[in-house]
Amino acid sequence: MNLKPVNVRIVLVETTHSGNIGAVARAMRNMCLTELVLVNPRKFPHPDAVARASGALAELDNAKVVNSLEEAIAGCQYVFGTTARERGLEWAPATPQETAETIVSAGEDAHCAIVFGRERSGLTNEEVEMCTHAVQIPTNPDFSSLNLGMAVQVVSYELMKARGGKVSQAKPEVEPAPAEAFEAMVKHMEEAMTHSGFYDPEDPRMTQRRMRQIFRQANLDAAQVNMLRGMWNSVLQLPKGPHSKS
Ligand code: SAH
């Protein structure tokens, strides 16, 4: 996958539950982020982190543990502080999507940090003020606080999309069936429909054209045309329908 390069560290401030650190490591691996910085985690390393990381162990092993937010964001030109609450900031917080676009346009030479707060109390006002930008995930205004791991997931997913991450288009190209195979299939279908009584050849109305249109839209390949012919064959082997005029 060709992702646009970025230089981003995920910073977690004084995380209480080690399981959340594992969930963050997992979200990071899912979304192709590698750099994790922990400011005074309560318990780390810890088996709960390993359990919740579901195999994203390199992110945990390489996590850097530091004593202060200053240390965690040293060298960063862009520091995004995430917050669930309106804090009366003079600047409106950005959405995760806008944040991701800013990071991608800044490019890989720009050192960026995205900072996440404590489970209970989030980031302090002083910590938010140390950030160059504030980020808020849009939520129900009466219930705005996401679990820490989920908040990291949402923000890093937006970053993944902004970097050009897409599900691979592994669908094989369909080689449309040749005209004569398509026509033979339609004729075969008419026989079967007449046989079953669904279709009256004396009074075709629009049915024939509509059926043809349905199969045109399906852009059938040769194998699919053959499969339909097999189906019409099986209908022709049944006893005639009660309304059949054939
Ligand atoms: N009660 C705290 C929320 C703690 S949730 C508060 O009011 O700030 C733990 C962390 O997850 C937050 O510090 C923040 O980094 C992140 N988070 C949770 N919900 C968020 C949201 N809606 N927008 C942005 N970040 C959020």
Side-chain angles (χ1 to χ4, degrees):
M1 199 187 319
N2 260 342
L3 293 181
K4 290 182 191 147
V6 291
N7 186 338
V8 175
R9 65 186 82 157
I10 299 292
V11 177
L12 307 184
V13 177
E14 296 188 351
T15 308
T16 306
H17 298 290
S18 311
N20 281 335
I21 300 178
V24 167
R26 179 181 188 171
M28 288 173 63
R29 172 80 70 93
N30 284 143
M31 300 297 133
C32 298
L33 295 173
T34 53
E35 227 184 305
L36 178 60
V37 182
L38 307 172
V39 180
N40 291 330
R42 182 177 288 178
K43 289 173 273 172
F44 186 82
H46 193 275
D48 288 352
V50 173
R52 292 280 301 280
S54 283
L57 300 179
E59 288 70 7
L60 290 182
D61 290 344
N62 299 332
K64 203 170 138 195
V65 179
V66 299
N67 285 317
S68 65
L69 181 57
E70 283 91 334
E71 226 181 302
I73 61 177
C76 290
Q77 292 112 334
Y78 292 80
V79 181
F80 299 89
T82 57
T83 167
R85 279 175 288 148
E86 296 291 339
R87 293 174 183 254
L89 297 169
E90 285 180 22
W91 15 283
T95 61
Q97 188 182 346
E98 289 161 346
T99 303
E101 282 156 12
T102 306
I103 292 173
V104 171
S105 344
E108 67 183 316
D109 293 335
H111 291 253
C112 305
I114 313 177
V115 183
F116 294 85
R118 301 154 189 85
E119 290 94 332
R120 267 188 187 282
S121 53
L123 295 170
T124 63
N125 285 341
E126 293 69 37
E127 286 163 344
V128 173
E129 279 157 21
M130 285 168 68
C131 300
T132 58
H133 297 70
V135 184
Q136 195 172 16
I137 300 167
T139 57
N140 175 350
D142 300 327
F143 200 75
S144 63
S145 169
L146 276 75
N147 161 268
L148 176 59
M150 307 270 181
V152 172
Q153 180 72 74
V154 170
V155 175
S156 37
Y157 171 60
E158 287 298 341
L159 194 51
M160 180 77 182
K161 282 198 294 176
R163 295 173 73 188
K166 287 205 172 83
V167 176
S168 71
Q169 307 279 318
K171 230 168 77 186
E173 277 288 300
V174 176
E175 181 113 5
E180 65 278 13
F182 184 86
E183 287 308 322
M185 186 280 291
V186 170
K187 221 165 159 280
H188 205 157
M189 175 189 69
E190 283 165 14
E191 281 170 37
M193 296 298 102
T194 307
H195 179 82
S196 73
F198 173 75
Y199 176 76
D200 177 359
E202 316 278 274
D203 182 21
R205 301 207 197 125
M206 294 293 284
T207 311
Q208 190 185 6
R209 282 171 68 187
R210 287 192 177 135
M211 286 293 224
R212 184 179 274 277
Q213 204 179 8
I214 291 170
F215 290 115
R216 281 264 180 251
Q217 283 167 352
N219 192 24
L220 302 166
D221 64 20
Q224 291 167 327
V225 162
N226 277 338
M227 191 185 71
L228 286 169
R229 294 197 63 171
M231 186 162 81
W232 309 146
N233 255 342
S234 71
V235 171
L236 283 165
Q237 278 158 31
L238 296 170
K240 275 188 190 170
H243 307 295
S244 168
K245 301 210 173 131
S246 65

